[in-house]
Amino acid sequence: MSDTVRVGILGASGYTGGDLIRLLAGHPKVEIALLTAERHAGASVDSVWPHLRGAGELPALIALEDVEWPAVELDVIFCALPHATSQDVIKGLLHATGHSLLEEMIAESPGDLAESFRGEARIIDLSADFRLRDVETYERWYGQAHQAPDLQAKAVYGLPELYGADIRDARLVACPGCYPTAALLALVPLIRAGLVETDDIIIDAKSGVTGAGRGLKQQMLFSEVSEALHPYGVGHHRHMPEIDQELSVAAGKPVTVSFTPHLVPINRGELETIYVRLRRDARAADLRMAWENAYGDAPFVSVLDDDAVPATRMVRGSNQCILGAVDDRIDGRAIVIAAIDNLVKGSSGQAVQVMNLMLGFEETDGLTQLPLFP
Amino acid sequence: MSDTVRVGILGASGYTGGDLIRLLAGHPKVEIALLTAERHAGASVDSVWPHLRGAGELPALIALEDVEWPAVELDVIFCALPHATSQDVIKGLLHATGHSLLEEMIAESPGDLAESFRGEARIIDLSADFRLRDVETYERWYGQAHQAPDLQAKAVYGLPELYGADIRDARLVACPGCYPTAALLALVPLIRAGLVETDDIIIDAKSGVTGAGRGLKQQMLFSEVSEALHPYGVGHHRHMPEIDQELSVAAGKPVTVSFTPHLVPINRGELETIYVRLRRDARAADLRMAWENAYGDAPFVSVLDDDAVPATRMVRGSNQCILGAVDDRIDGRAIVIAAIDNLVKGSSGQAVQVMNLMLGFEETDGLTQLPLFP
Amino acid sequence: MSDTVRVGILGASGYTGGDLIRLLAGHPKVEIALLTAERHAGASVDSVWPHLRGAGELPALIALEDVEWPAVELDVIFCALPHATSQDVIKGLLHATGHSLLEEMIAESPGDLAESFRGEARIIDLSADFRLRDVETYERWYGQAHQAPDLQAKAVYGLPELYGADIRDARLVACPGCYPTAALLALVPLIRAGLVETDDIIIDAKSGVTGAGRGLKQQMLFSEVSEALHPYGVGHHRHMPEIDQELSVAAGKPVTVSFTPHLVPINRGELETIYVRLRRDARAADLRMAWENAYGDAPFVSVLDDDAVPATRMVRGSNQCILGAVDDRIDGRAIVIAAIDNLVKGSSGQAVQVMNLMLGFEETDGLTQLPLFP
Amino acid sequence: MSDTVRVGILGASGYTGGDLIRLLAGHPKVEIALLTAERHAGASVDSVWPHLRGAGELPALIALEDVEWPAVELDVIFCALPHATSQDVIKGLLHATGHSLLEEMIAESPGDLAESFRGEARIIDLSADFRLRDVETYERWYGQAHQAPDLQAKAVYGLPELYGADIRDARLVACPGCYPTAALLALVPLIRAGLVETDDIIIDAKSGVTGAGRGLKQQMLFSEVSEALHPYGVGHHRHMPEIDQELSVAAGKPVTVSFTPHLVPINRGELETIYVRLRRDARAADLRMAWENAYGDAPFVSVLDDDAVPATRMVRGSNQCILGAVDDRIDGRAIVIAAIDNLVKGSSGQAVQVMNLMLGFEETDGLTQLPLFP
């Protein structure tokens, strides 16, 4: 067995794909063996991502249909395709290749990882397709029937700080959305510790523009976004059911949150200001204590002391999540704040962290870059 | 009586002062007769505000102590001085000039406006100094005793849509802060109509950088603010007691709000996302109806239809406040959104609107500029 | 004859169209009678341009093919359609309507303006279609034969400060591009006065993003442009031949300039730094003098004194062009700087200025807004 | 001898100091042993630079006067103090400590590096103080006599691609300014190869805001810079004599350039568009060839192919310099473009590169981070 694993990125020309290349090119135990992109098939990475010209030898981008499965011999497949496409691709690959790496992938877990590694690729999906355990919920929010419900049932929700053990044994991991990542890291320990009421959680989220992807939409043009600020998807953003789902697991009962995202003219960065009603005379200090207990060893979650509040500039370009809590002026309420880089901890960095866990690497491999400020 | 009034701006080199010049230079019934600025005394407006070089004939900036009272013969004084300085200046002027325009100013209101106009200047203060009716509250939040409690007692809170009648007869008006302006325009009609609970109001505010003024602070440098986002003053921002004060008036009982401002990398614009618990099975549509009832004739408040949400780009450079309401996913809750330009409706534009009311002008005089987008 | 003229804007949903509405809605002698937009046909102005909701009564957007010519009875047509489309539209209208307002429009000029006004609309084209006098040059740079060479021959180049007299009598005016506007206002008086060598003119231009229009291009997404800076169209930008053409007229011999535009992450604003070799021992002061002589009465050109340099913030949202000159360190060279708002003096504002000249209005009607800073 | 060297950063609270910490904290052969900052003395790195909270164990900031020389036992001192302060500090240290590490530092070079390492610290100065070889030139541009002319005479100009051999043996290196770095990397090989005229070099430079440092100046406030663009220091920017100096060395005769910097609303990034007159019928392709010859092995200079132009987004956060050349429309002229991150290759990254050379490390140690885009 080689000392590096071979990874592929499906959808390498989007922001998520680009940041995956940036992180994986610096990963000590990884070789990037496959990069797909439909419109840019045939192009070099340099031409699509000029900032990556110093990334070393990389394969040219090819169309997904031109990938030579299984000859490409991947150990890990990062699927950074658009929502709804991911499930088709994975299902399609499965049917196309018969008794293949992908069919095996969803078979029962093999005995010895070291033996069975190559040929049984792990799939890390960065789309929304496998995040919702209930395919009916998926259908309601995404407006179409799920194309791969069997795979869905085997997918693990890829938030390492909460599901580390499951991720280690998983063959298909659905990485969380950026908004759910911040919300769940902040709220799950508080709910598990019984510190907050679960029927009165208000999440006011603010995100940089890369969260909307690289697709062409008028509302994402520079001139529309710059010097401007507004909420969007009020009452119907697709990350809501994902947050509900995981908070319900934590609470042991159905939870519905209030969630309002806002678009802010920055490239990277996501901040959630969460308003909670406290239980049992808890104070902000108790919330911090609950986080410390939950994340004592976690390399990518930091809890700020009393008077400090998270800011997106603390995490730009890094895989960190910063948490803070302050007592509210309204008795019995607290303000909880979480900051992440939506493209890293909210997407590509988290996917690399998931890979590290799946393959028994150091959790921080490839993720040691400090934030860039200014 | 001339067909224009003579106005002075104390503190003409800050952003608020600059925007006052911009608006008043285009006002059909105003002559700018005095501009003060301490560090820039002696300079022309062009040199301090190069964008105003086309504003026509304007007096040079002079130091406040060099103003020749009462020879300057002002009808209206806009006081755009820093907090805590305003009260000293106004009090000082009062003592220095004896039986003066300013002493008269706080005497009982004269009979006929047309007769008594000149010589009894109206003062429109844009600082925080006269906003809090209770001087003890002032002292607690501003860390010093109020220097002019008598004047305080006579000041009118200058939110035209709520206190129009009082403003018409006032000699000293304290213009609201930018955050309170948006919050009160959104909330007061809802509280008056009994539609929202007053003990569970959560205001998540986002503001452009000009709200912090033109003073030199490291955290306001471009490199600190750009590509970044963070909350500030969590739990102790000075606009809180002002919001409490006016909501308490509206509710007829003490109200304490949760209020968390965030700094966003834009120049102008303020957005408040307000989370309210509804009373009496009210829905978002009822909130919109309450606004329509309250603001039917108001030229500077607009209520959006069902699915539209306010955005700061709708108001950039204009005196408009845009309101919207959406039902929350949590039963019995609604999300209320208000957008203003913090320098215009949140400061200088509102001051001009106040002047228009005081002097019996058209409320929109000098304030008809459409927003600038992009 | 009514006291307002009826104007139409073809292409009202682009940035140029939007800024035309903003300016014309505040014009004292204009009624906006027609707005066309293909994709948004049927929509209200509010829905396409929420910032214009306070603009008063405006017609809904309709598709160009649904315009009822000549019943709409326009006095002025602003054509803000994409390049190459303009010529087809104007030519198409001509053929479609027979003996129509448009055919007459290109007939010889009528006698009395007051009599013949209605029914013989003036056309102000904001596209590039009629800017190049030589249709072969047009074909070379735009890759297609010109569709309306006859109309081309009758078009007047719409830079009011240089061609005011021609514009007054014109029926079809081709408004200059934003880059040529700044370059020509800076250079033509210097060339006419024989102060600069014409074979060594280097124009380094920087522009805000709205100059690229509202079309969907990946390179105009916020995340691509923000926090970034780069030259584009190096050696082949389409504004080059337009600059050459007009400088050649001024010089009386062929002139070829070096022109390199750069994209800067701002919405509005264009700055050109022009490096010239001086003739006859001229100094920067002589350049300023030449401008003063040329623009003494011009309301929209300002010349800065010695040590001041133009900045885009001096013109944001206004129709001003600011000029400055500084002696270079290299003997016999000077640095000339021009700043405009690319959407106003570089496009829509200039078009309104052109209309004012054509119709004998005050040149500044509808263009008195001061710049917005910050 | 330990396997890491001990480094100190004087002036750790400015942007240059902060980026030095970021880079050095990730350097495999370095231990950060000293951090000084006057106003922040006593503070932790976390509190001054919250984004560096994940940087591992770092010493607290102390005042310069509290440093225990020579007990702190530094191998390398990075001096990131303000201009004019650096020379005083270095001279002062020298006098204060007698037969000290710093006196030895300016003694003649020792024999064996490995033996003499500790106790003879290398000084890498990031200020302008030791860049100008001629102290009279220094005095003329900086308005004061140089305080350490002897040290000046021994300083090496720290542009590794040009002075690598000298840097290896130096005890005091003066790192170039950001503007000179880009200009010299672009121009020196062209001048050395005799491809460009040296009396007609026009440099139009655009820089992000961090180049101005973290000091409090009104013109660097977000609201002044955002959505704006302007030239500054036209005719008298202090980087001019530094560029002249090094181009004169390359040309073997005095060279005076035209240099005009512009402030652009981005945090990081510097782009220089350089207009050159070619010699000997050279074309842009010849310029590229000259660069390839000069920089064949250099890890931090990249030359773009024909039609590609450098952009700042290609280098954000990295130590790369990207070069491109295009033939101008004016015969015999070419346009040369260089892009760097002003804080990295223009300052802190270059200083680390210098250190690597001085100490015989891999030139890329600690500098392998890929650019961050978006």
Side-chain angles (χ1 to χ4, degrees):
Chain A
M1 185 179 141
S2 149
D3 58 349
T4 58
V5 296
R6 292 171 60 83
V7 309
I9 300 171
L10 311 187
S13 62
Y15 293 135
T16 299
D19 233 29
L20 275 171
I21 301 175
R22 176 178 72 94
L23 296 169
L24 291 170
H27 194 291
K29 296 167 187 160
V30 159
E31 176 193 352
I32 298 177
L34 172 69
L35 296 170
T36 79
E38 303 314 295
R39 280 181 305 126
H40 296 282
S44 67
V45 169
D46 287 17
S47 65
V48 174
W49 296 116
H51 71 294
L52 296 178
R53 53 186 297 120
E57 285 288 307
L58 290 174
L61 306 178
I62 63 172
L64 188 57
E65 64 173 15
D66 294 335
V67 179
E68 297 189 15
W69 309 101
V72 63
E73 288 203 326
L74 299 181
D75 301 305
V76 180
I77 299 171
F78 291 94
C79 194
L81 297 170
H83 303 319
T85 305
S86 275
Q87 55 189 277
D88 281 341
V89 165
I90 291 173
K91 190 185 168 200
L93 283 172
L94 192 66
H95 291 163
T97 58
H99 182 75
S100 73
L101 81 171
L102 286 156
E103 191 164 2
E104 285 179 34
M105 186 192 69
I106 58 161
E108 286 310 306
S109 180
D112 183 2
L113 185 71
E115 260 178 57
S116 62
F117 210 5
R118 189 143 297 171
E120 293 180 7
R122 310 298 187 91
I123 295 192
I124 300 172
D125 186 25
L126 290 88
S127 84
D129 281 10
F130 296 99
R131 293 174 188 160
L132 296 177
R133 290 158 208 241
D134 179 4
V135 292
E136 285 178 26
T137 302
Y138 176 87
E139 192 170 336
R140 191 162 63 250
W141 283 85
Y142 288 85
Q144 60 170 73
H146 202 288
Q147 301 303 304
D150 292 344
L151 275 170
Q152 171 57 67
K154 293 173 188 283
V156 169
Y157 191 73
L159 194 53
E161 288 77 9
L162 301 185
Y163 293 103
D166 296 336
I167 290 168
R168 276 185 194 86
D169 296 333
R171 290 306 182 79
L172 172 60
V173 170
C175 287
C178 51
Y179 288 125
T181 293
L184 299 175
L185 288 175
L187 287 169
V188 167
L190 310 184
I191 290 175
R192 286 184 180 166
L195 292 169
V196 302
E197 298 290 355
T198 57
D199 60 352
D200 193 17
I201 294 171
I202 296 167
I203 303 172
D204 188 286
K206 300 93 178 168
S207 177
V209 179
T210 51
R214 209 181 192 189
L216 299 183
K217 300 173 213 152
Q218 187 183 77
Q219 65 267 38
M220 294 302 152
L221 293 176
F222 179 89
S223 301
E224 307 283 321
V225 174
S226 176
E227 265 291 297
L229 170 67
H230 64 87
Y232 66 100
V234 182
H236 56 82
H237 191 283
R238 287 170 171 179
H239 281 177
M240 287 172 176
E242 194 181 330
I243 299 172
D244 286 355
Q245 167 183 287
E246 295 302 321
L247 294 187
S248 298
V249 170
K253 61 182 176 183
V255 174
T256 299
V257 298
S258 169
F259 172 73
T260 306
H262 299 73
L263 188 69
V264 175
I266 63 177
N267 284 328
R268 289 167 180 263
E270 195 162 282
L271 190 109
E272 298 189 6
T273 312
I274 306 176
Y275 301 90
V276 293
R277 187 175 298 282
L278 301 169
R279 298 181 62 200
R280 303 181 317 190
D281 297 326
R283 307 275 297 164
D286 300 305
L287 307 187
R288 289 192 287 268
M289 181 71 70
W291 288 329
E292 294 289 0
N293 292 340
Y295 300 126
D297 292 337
F300 296 118
V301 181
S302 296
V303 179
L304 296 187
D305 292 340
D306 308 47
D307 51 353
V309 291
T312 61
R313 67 172 168 244
M314 301 179 184
V315 298
R316 193 186 304 153
S318 90
N319 202 48
Q320 288 289 319
C321 173
I322 313 280
L323 299 176
V326 180
D327 287 311
D328 202 345
R329 297 174 74 224
I330 298 181
D331 272 347
R333 281 198 161 279
I335 303 165
V336 165
I337 302 158
I340 61 171
D341 181 321
N342 56 293
L343 273 186
V344 190
K345 184 60 178 166
S347 179
S348 303
Q350 184 144 274
V352 173
Q353 185 184 357
V354 161
M355 179 194 73
N356 287 340
L357 290 180
M358 290 173 111
L359 303 186
F361 295 161
E362 286 292 314
E363 193 167 352
T364 57
D365 277 347
L367 296 171
T368 55
Q369 281 198 332
L370 290 169
L372 191 69
F373 170 79
Chain B
M1 185 179 138
S2 149
D3 56 349
T4 59
V5 296
R6 292 170 59 83
V7 308
I9 301 171
L10 311 188
S13 63
Y15 292 135
T16 299
D19 233 29
L20 275 171
I21 301 175
R22 175 178 74 94
L23 295 170
L24 291 170
H27 194 292
K29 297 169 187 158
V30 160
E31 175 193 352
I32 298 177
L34 172 71
L35 296 169
T36 79
E38 304 313 297
R39 282 182 305 126
H40 295 283
S44 67
V45 168
D46 287 16
S47 65
V48 174
W49 297 115
H51 70 295
L52 296 179
R53 55 184 296 120
E57 285 287 307
L58 291 174
L61 306 178
I62 64 173
L64 187 58
E65 64 173 16
D66 294 335
V67 178
E68 296 188 16
W69 309 101
V72 64
E73 288 202 327
L74 298 180
D75 301 305
V76 180
I77 299 171
F78 291 94
C79 194
L81 298 170
H83 303 319
T85 305
S86 276
Q87 55 190 276
D88 281 341
V89 165
I90 291 174
K91 190 188 167 198
L93 283 172
L94 191 67
H95 290 163
T97 58
H99 183 75
S100 73
L101 82 170
L102 287 156
E103 193 165 2
E104 284 180 35
M105 185 189 72
I106 60 162
E108 286 310 306
S109 181
D112 183 3
L113 184 70
E115 261 179 58
S116 62
F117 209 5
R118 188 142 297 171
E120 294 180 7
R122 310 299 186 91
I123 294 192
I124 300 172
D125 186 25
L126 290 89
S127 83
D129 281 11
F130 296 99
R131 293 173 188 161
L132 296 177
R133 291 158 208 240
D134 178 3
V135 292
E136 286 178 26
T137 302
Y138 176 86
E139 193 170 334
R140 191 162 62 249
W141 283 84
Y142 288 85
Q144 60 169 72
H146 201 288
Q147 300 303 303
D150 292 345
L151 276 170
Q152 171 57 66
K154 294 172 187 284
V156 168
Y157 191 74
L159 194 52
E161 287 77 9
L162 301 184
Y163 293 102
D166 297 335
I167 290 168
R168 277 185 193 86
D169 295 332
R171 290 306 182 80
L172 171 60
V173 170
C175 286
C178 51
Y179 287 126
T181 293
L184 299 175
L185 288 175
L187 288 168
V188 167
L190 309 185
I191 289 176
R192 286 184 179 167
L195 293 169
V196 301
E197 299 289 354
T198 57
D199 60 351
D200 193 17
I201 294 171
I202 295 168
I203 304 172
D204 189 286
K206 301 92 178 166
S207 176
V209 180
T210 51
R214 212 182 189 187
L216 298 183
K217 300 173 212 152
Q218 187 183 79
Q219 67 266 37
M220 294 303 152
L221 293 176
F222 180 88
S223 301
E224 308 283 322
V225 174
S226 176
E227 264 291 296
L229 170 66
H230 64 88
Y232 67 100
V234 182
H236 57 82
H237 192 283
R238 286 171 170 178
H239 282 177
M240 287 171 176
E242 194 180 329
I243 300 172
D244 286 355
Q245 166 183 287
E246 296 301 322
L247 294 188
S248 298
V249 170
K253 62 180 177 183
V255 174
T256 299
V257 298
S258 169
F259 172 72
T260 305
H262 299 73
L263 187 70
V264 175
I266 63 177
N267 284 328
R268 288 168 181 263
E270 196 162 282
L271 190 109
E272 298 189 8
T273 314
I274 306 176
Y275 302 91
V276 292
R277 186 175 298 282
L278 300 169
R279 297 180 65 199
R280 304 181 316 192
D281 297 326
R283 306 275 297 165
D286 300 306
L287 307 187
R288 288 192 286 268
M289 181 71 70
W291 288 329
E292 294 288 1
N293 291 339
Y295 300 126
D297 292 337
F300 296 119
V301 181
S302 296
V303 180
L304 296 187
D305 292 340
D306 308 50
D307 51 353
V309 290
T312 61
R313 68 172 167 244
M314 298 180 187
V315 297
R316 192 185 304 152
S318 90
N319 202 48
Q320 287 291 319
C321 174
I322 313 280
L323 299 176
V326 180
D327 287 312
D328 201 346
R329 297 173 74 223
I330 299 182
D331 271 348
R333 282 196 161 280
I335 303 165
V336 165
I337 301 159
I340 60 171
D341 181 320
N342 55 293
L343 274 187
V344 190
K345 184 59 177 168
S347 180
S348 302
Q350 184 143 274
V352 172
Q353 185 184 357
V354 161
M355 179 193 72
N356 287 341
L357 290 181
M358 290 173 110
L359 304 187
F361 295 162
E362 285 293 314
E363 192 167 353
T364 57
D365 277 347
L367 297 170
T368 54
Q369 282 197 331
L370 289 170
L372 192 68
F373 171 78
Chain C
M1 186 179 141
S2 148
D3 57 350
T4 59
V5 297
R6 291 171 62 84
V7 308
I9 300 171
L10 312 187
S13 62
Y15 293 135
T16 299
D19 232 29
L20 275 171
I21 301 175
R22 176 179 71 95
L23 296 169
L24 292 169
H27 194 293
K29 298 167 187 160
V30 159
E31 176 193 352
I32 298 177
L34 172 69
L35 297 171
T36 79
E38 304 313 296
R39 281 181 305 125
H40 295 282
S44 67
V45 169
D46 287 16
S47 65
V48 174
W49 297 116
H51 70 295
L52 297 178
R53 55 186 294 119
E57 285 288 307
L58 290 173
L61 306 177
I62 64 172
L64 188 58
E65 64 172 16
D66 293 335
V67 179
E68 296 189 16
W69 309 101
V72 63
E73 288 203 327
L74 298 181
D75 301 303
V76 181
I77 300 171
F78 292 93
C79 193
L81 298 169
H83 303 318
T85 305
S86 277
Q87 55 190 278
D88 280 343
V89 165
I90 292 173
K91 191 186 167 198
L93 284 172
L94 192 66
H95 291 164
T97 58
H99 182 73
S100 73
L101 82 170
L102 285 155
E103 191 164 2
E104 285 180 35
M105 185 191 70
I106 59 162
E108 286 312 305
S109 180
D112 183 2
L113 185 69
E115 260 179 58
S116 62
F117 209 4
R118 189 142 295 172
E120 294 180 9
R122 312 298 187 91
I123 295 192
I124 300 172
D125 185 25
L126 291 88
S127 83
D129 280 10
F130 296 99
R131 293 173 188 163
L132 295 177
R133 290 158 208 241
D134 179 4
V135 292
E136 285 178 26
T137 302
Y138 176 86
E139 192 169 336
R140 192 161 63 251
W141 283 85
Y142 288 84
Q144 60 169 72
H146 201 289
Q147 300 304 303
D150 293 344
L151 275 172
Q152 171 57 67
K154 294 174 188 284
V156 170
Y157 191 73
L159 194 52
E161 287 77 10
L162 302 184
Y163 294 104
D166 296 337
I167 290 168
R168 276 184 193 87
D169 295 333
R171 288 308 183 78
L172 171 60
V173 171
C175 286
C178 50
Y179 288 125
T181 292
L184 300 175
L185 288 176
L187 287 168
V188 167
L190 309 185
I191 289 176
R192 286 183 180 169
L195 293 169
V196 302
E197 299 289 355
T198 57
D199 61 351
D200 194 16
I201 293 171
I202 296 168
I203 303 171
D204 189 286
K206 300 93 178 165
S207 177
V209 180
T210 51
R214 210 181 190 188
L216 298 183
K217 300 172 211 153
Q218 187 183 78
Q219 67 266 36
M220 294 303 151
L221 292 177
F222 180 88
S223 301
E224 308 282 322
V225 174
S226 176
E227 264 291 297
L229 170 67
H230 65 87
Y232 67 100
V234 182
H236 56 82
H237 191 282
R238 286 170 171 179
H239 282 177
M240 287 172 176
E242 194 181 329
I243 299 173
D244 287 354
Q245 166 183 287
E246 295 302 322
L247 294 188
S248 299
V249 170
K253 62 181 176 184
V255 174
T256 300
V257 298
S258 169
F259 172 73
T260 306
H262 299 73
L263 188 70
V264 175
I266 62 177
N267 284 330
R268 289 167 180 262
E270 195 162 283
L271 190 109
E272 297 190 7
T273 312
I274 306 176
Y275 302 92
V276 293
R277 187 174 298 283
L278 301 170
R279 297 182 64 198
R280 304 181 318 190
D281 298 327
R283 307 275 296 164
D286 300 306
L287 308 187
R288 289 192 286 268
M289 182 71 69
W291 288 329
E292 294 288 1
N293 292 339
Y295 300 126
D297 292 337
F300 295 119
V301 181
S302 297
V303 180
L304 296 187
D305 293 339
D306 308 51
D307 50 353
V309 290
T312 60
R313 68 172 167 244
M314 299 179 186
V315 298
R316 192 185 306 151
S318 90
N319 201 47
Q320 288 290 319
C321 173
I322 314 279
L323 300 175
V326 180
D327 288 311
D328 201 345
R329 296 174 75 220
I330 298 181
D331 271 348
R333 281 197 160 281
I335 303 165
V336 166
I337 302 157
I340 60 171
D341 181 320
N342 56 292
L343 273 187
V344 190
K345 184 59 179 166
S347 181
S348 303
Q350 185 144 269
V352 173
Q353 185 184 356
V354 161
M355 178 194 72
N356 288 340
L357 290 180
M358 290 172 111
L359 303 187
F361 295 161
E362 285 293 312
E363 193 168 352
T364 56
D365 277 348
L367 297 170
T368 54
Q369 280 198 333
L370 290 170
L372 192 69
F373 170 78
Chain D
M1 187 179 138
S2 147
D3 56 349
T4 59
V5 296
R6 291 170 61 83
V7 309
I9 300 171
L10 311 187
S13 62
Y15 293 135
T16 300
D19 232 28
L20 275 171
I21 301 175
R22 176 178 72 94
L23 296 169
L24 291 170
H27 194 292
K29 297 168 187 161
V30 159
E31 175 193 351
I32 297 177
L34 172 71
L35 296 170
T36 79
E38 304 313 295
R39 281 183 305 126
H40 295 283
S44 67
V45 169
D46 287 18
S47 65
V48 174
W49 297 116
H51 70 294
L52 296 178
R53 55 185 296 121
E57 285 287 307
L58 290 173
L61 306 178
I62 63 172
L64 189 58
E65 64 173 15
D66 294 336
V67 179
E68 297 190 15
W69 309 100
V72 64
E73 287 201 326
L74 300 181
D75 300 304
V76 180
I77 299 171
F78 291 94
C79 193
L81 298 169
H83 302 320
T85 305
S86 277
Q87 53 189 279
D88 281 342
V89 164
I90 291 174
K91 190 187 168 200
L93 283 173
L94 191 66
H95 289 164
T97 58
H99 182 74
S100 73
L101 82 170
L102 286 156
E103 191 166 2
E104 284 179 36
M105 186 191 70
I106 59 163
E108 287 310 305
S109 181
D112 184 1
L113 185 70
E115 261 179 58
S116 63
F117 210 2
R118 188 143 297 172
E120 294 180 7
R122 311 298 187 91
I123 295 192
I124 300 172
D125 185 24
L126 290 89
S127 84
D129 281 10
F130 296 100
R131 293 173 188 162
L132 296 177
R133 291 158 208 240
D134 179 4
V135 292
E136 286 179 24
T137 302
Y138 175 86
E139 193 170 336
R140 192 161 62 249
W141 283 84
Y142 287 86
Q144 60 170 72
H146 201 289
Q147 301 302 304
D150 292 345
L151 274 170
Q152 170 57 68
K154 293 171 188 284
V156 169
Y157 191 74
L159 194 53
E161 287 78 10
L162 301 184
Y163 293 103
D166 296 337
I167 290 168
R168 277 185 192 86
D169 296 331
R171 289 308 182 79
L172 172 60
V173 171
C175 286
C178 51
Y179 287 125
T181 292
L184 299 175
L185 288 175
L187 288 169
V188 167
L190 310 184
I191 290 176
R192 286 183 179 167
L195 292 169
V196 302
E197 299 289 355
T198 57
D199 61 351
D200 194 17
I201 294 171
I202 295 167
I203 304 172
D204 189 285
K206 299 94 179 164
S207 178
V209 180
T210 52
R214 211 181 190 188
L216 298 183
K217 300 172 211 152
Q218 187 182 78
Q219 66 266 37
M220 294 303 152
L221 293 176
F222 180 89
S223 301
E224 307 282 320
V225 174
S226 176
E227 263 293 296
L229 170 67
H230 65 87
Y232 67 99
V234 182
H236 57 83
H237 192 282
R238 287 170 169 180
H239 282 178
M240 288 172 177
E242 193 180 331
I243 299 172
D244 287 354
Q245 166 182 288
E246 295 301 322
L247 294 188
S248 299
V249 170
K253 63 180 177 184
V255 174
T256 299
V257 299
S258 169
F259 172 73
T260 305
H262 300 72
L263 188 70
V264 176
I266 63 177
N267 284 328
R268 289 166 179 263
E270 196 163 283
L271 190 111
E272 298 189 8
T273 312
I274 306 177
Y275 302 92
V276 293
R277 186 174 297 283
L278 301 169
R279 297 181 63 200
R280 304 181 317 189
D281 298 328
R283 306 275 297 164
D286 300 306
L287 307 187
R288 289 192 286 268
M289 181 71 69
W291 288 329
E292 294 288 0
N293 292 340
Y295 300 126
D297 293 338
F300 295 118
V301 182
S302 296
V303 180
L304 295 187
D305 293 339
D306 308 50
D307 51 352
V309 291
T312 61
R313 68 171 167 244
M314 299 179 186
V315 299
R316 193 185 305 153
S318 90
N319 202 48
Q320 287 290 319
C321 173
I322 313 280
L323 299 176
V326 180
D327 287 311
D328 201 345
R329 297 173 74 221
I330 298 182
D331 271 347
R333 282 197 160 280
I335 302 165
V336 165
I337 301 157
I340 60 172
D341 181 320
N342 55 294
L343 274 186
V344 190
K345 185 59 178 167
S347 181
S348 303
Q350 184 144 271
V352 172
Q353 187 184 356
V354 161
M355 179 194 72
N356 288 341
L357 290 180
M358 290 173 111
L359 304 186
F361 295 161
E362 285 293 313
E363 193 168 351
T364 56
D365 277 348
L367 297 170
T368 53
Q369 280 197 333
L370 290 169
L372 191 68
F373 171 77

